Amino acid sequence: MTKFGVHDTPLQELFGDAAFEAFDDAGVGPDEVEALFFGNAMGGQTENVTHLGPQCATHVGMAGKPVQRYEDACATSANAFKNAVEAVESGRHDVVLVGGVERCTPETGKDTDEMTRIFASASHRQYEQPTGLTFPGVFALLTKRHMHEHGTTEEHLAEVAVKNHGHGSLNPKAHFGKETTVEEALDGPVVADPFRLMDCCPFSDGAAAVVLVSDDLADSFDAPVDVTGVGHATDIVPLADKETPHVTKAARDAASQAYDQAGVSAADVDFAEVHDCFTGAEVLASEALGLIEDGQGGVAAAEGRTSRDGDIPINASGGLKAKGHPIGATGAAQIVELTEQVRGEAGEHQLDGVSRGVAHNLGGDAATTVVSIMEARA
Ligand code: COA
């Protein structure tokens, strides 16, 4: 993956930076890669660039190969990954490239207000957009419900921010390298109650890519990591129609599929990368994945259970909160992170003794979720 942050590079070149790194890591050239599964969510609105797949394929030396572009809001490249896994499992392809790219910072010519409006196109056109509801508000509502049901507090949310900024400070590819404190987080300007500045992920630019190969070929590559489960589910849009908004049903359904495929339970997972676009979203995700008891997500963060040295480390990369969130690249970046952690190649933010990780990537009003499990090759 590229560093997440601010890039003034055209999208296909930024994607190429991640793709060439993936080729080098796998020891393959573009000639040996049969297809590209590609994610970009907002390029049409942010940079007037659509049909980016062939441009990226050409840039990375794969002109002529099949390329499919996926768009599922913030779950864009996790869905590309899921489809790539299925294409390889089916026998259609043996070696494919999967990845995503996005630019969301003012380098696109769009400021925070405009980018916020563009992102809101992923919410309900008739019932949500006309009210002015944007994504900080969407996740604020989900989190408020969790606070109402379970007594989660703003201090608990601040602890998630402190943890993820601390983790991100160890990751040279993170957008933010700075730590924060509970006091600073609770003192920040309100973005959408209960979220303050430190509860929000930033707008980021970046790209990520992985090479995926068939089980039969895997042993001919260095340090392969197994994909043992990929679940995918959707939930009702709009938010107001969800019966239990704080429960994020799609995440529970996708997790259940992934655990079943892998033949494991949440208790068997060593670490997780979850979609913490806002601190409250991490609380909800940690419970939906079964990693933390229902209602205890905030308390678990405050007690250090989800820190790097806790019993279930969550977002050792810094998560979206500190690593950054270039929409279409985020899901693929989680797969990169799981791969490097399981291999023991995550550098300064390496966790001790981890061999199985789970990634959770969601899109829109928690309406699309992909959950993937990766583990050391048996
Ligand atoms: N977390 C921590 N610090 C942040 C930050 C964030 N999310 N966003 C910006 N900052 C910092 C900047 O580094 C800058 O610090 P500096 O003054 O020390 O240089 C300062 O805050 C102001 O940055 P600026 O870019 O002017 O902030 P902004 O007001 O334009 O945007 C948010 C801040 C929180 C409103 C914006 O990042 C946001 O909307 N995030 C959510 C994105 C989103 O909805 N994604 C989709 C998720 S589903």
Side-chain angles (χ1 to χ4, degrees):
M1 60 176 278
T2 66
K3 178 175 165 54
F4 283 1
V6 180
H7 290 276
D8 65 356
T9 321
L11 285 168
Q12 70 275 18
E13 292 180 21
L14 190 56
F15 178 74
D17 291 346
F20 292 129
E21 197 183 316
F23 290 157
D24 280 352
D25 176 78
V28 296
D31 290 349
E32 296 152 79
V33 181
E34 298 162 23
L36 169 58
F37 292 77
F38 171 73
N40 176 253
M42 305 284 176
Q45 292 151 282
T46 54
E47 304 196 54
N48 197 33
V49 180
T50 55
H51 204 210
L52 191 58
Q55 293 184 59
C56 287
T58 304
H59 181 73
V60 303
M62 288 178 61
K65 306 283 177 73
V67 47
Q68 174 70 51
R69 176 244 176 154
Y70 293 84
E71 184 276 297
D72 278 290
C74 303
T76 285
S77 55
N79 200 15
F81 179 71
K82 174 239 180 182
N83 279 273
V85 167
E86 289 177 349
V88 170
E89 275 176 345
S90 76
R92 175 87 187 208
H93 297 297
D94 283 319
V95 183
V96 301
L97 181 68
V98 193
V101 64
E102 203 84 49
R103 293 203 317 159
C104 309
T105 69
E107 280 299 325
T108 57
K110 305 280 193 297
D111 63 12
T112 296
D113 289 359
E114 216 167 339
M115 205 52 82
T116 301
R117 184 189 60 74
I118 289 171
F119 279 27
S121 67
S123 63
H124 198 284
R125 181 70 188 94
Q126 281 74 40
Y127 302 141
E128 293 181 331
Q129 292 183 34
T131 70
L133 184 65
T134 59
F135 275 99
V138 166
F139 283 89
L141 287 167
L142 297 175
T143 303
K144 276 280 189 186
R145 190 70 205 172
H146 196 277
M147 295 166 103
H148 174 78
E149 294 284 343
H150 297 297
T152 300
T153 64
E154 290 186 25
E155 285 75 13
H156 292 148
L157 303 179
E159 295 279 7
V160 175
V162 170
K163 168 180 74 72
N164 290 354
H165 272 270
H167 289 176
S169 70
L170 301 174
N171 182 355
K173 289 192 172 174
H175 189 150
F176 294 128
K178 61 178 182 187
E179 298 186 53
T180 188
T181 61
V182 169
E183 294 70 32
E184 185 187 28
L186 291 175
D187 199 34
V190 173
V191 175
D193 180 42
F195 297 146
R196 296 170 185 270
L197 179 67
M198 284 298 168
D199 291 295
C200 304
C201 69
F203 289 111
S204 312
D205 308 326
V210 295
V211 172
L212 187 70
V213 305
S214 63
D215 198 40
D216 287 347
L217 287 185
D219 285 328
S220 59
F221 287 80
D222 281 344
V225 174
D226 283 344
V227 181
T228 52
V230 185
H232 178 198
T234 57
D235 193 8
I236 296 166
V237 182
L239 213 55
D241 285 345
K242 295 182 201 276
E243 281 182 24
T244 49
H246 60 295
V247 163
T248 56
K249 185 173 180 309
R252 288 175 193 245
D253 292 347
S256 159
Q257 292 170 31
Y259 290 141
D260 281 355
Q261 284 173 28
V264 300
S265 71
D268 301 314
V269 168
D270 298 327
F271 70 105
E273 286 288 310
V274 309
H275 196 95
D276 59 329
C277 47
F278 300 93
T279 50
E282 174 170 314
V283 170
L284 271 49
S286 63
E287 296 172 19
L289 295 179
L291 303 171
I292 301 293
E293 307 76 32
D294 281 349
Q296 297 301 301
V299 175
E303 289 177 346
R305 288 179 57 197
T306 55
S307 297
R308 343 180 353 94
D309 52 0
D311 53 270
I312 177 67
I314 294 183
N315 287 328
S317 68
L320 283 60
K321 169 67 271 243
K323 185 180 65 179
H325 185 24
I327 308 300
T330 289
Q334 291 179 330
I335 301 299
V336 171
E337 177 68 19
L338 258 55
T339 305
E340 294 183 347
Q341 287 287 354
V342 168
R343 284 176 170 173
E345 293 176 357
E348 212 187 323
H349 71 288
Q350 178 67 47
L351 296 166
D352 284 339
V354 291
S355 62
R356 181 182 291 120
V358 59
H360 155 278
N361 184 207
L362 70 74
D365 299 17
T368 292
T369 307
V370 179
V371 172
S372 305
I373 297 173
M374 300 184 64
E375 49 193 283
R377 191 160 172 80

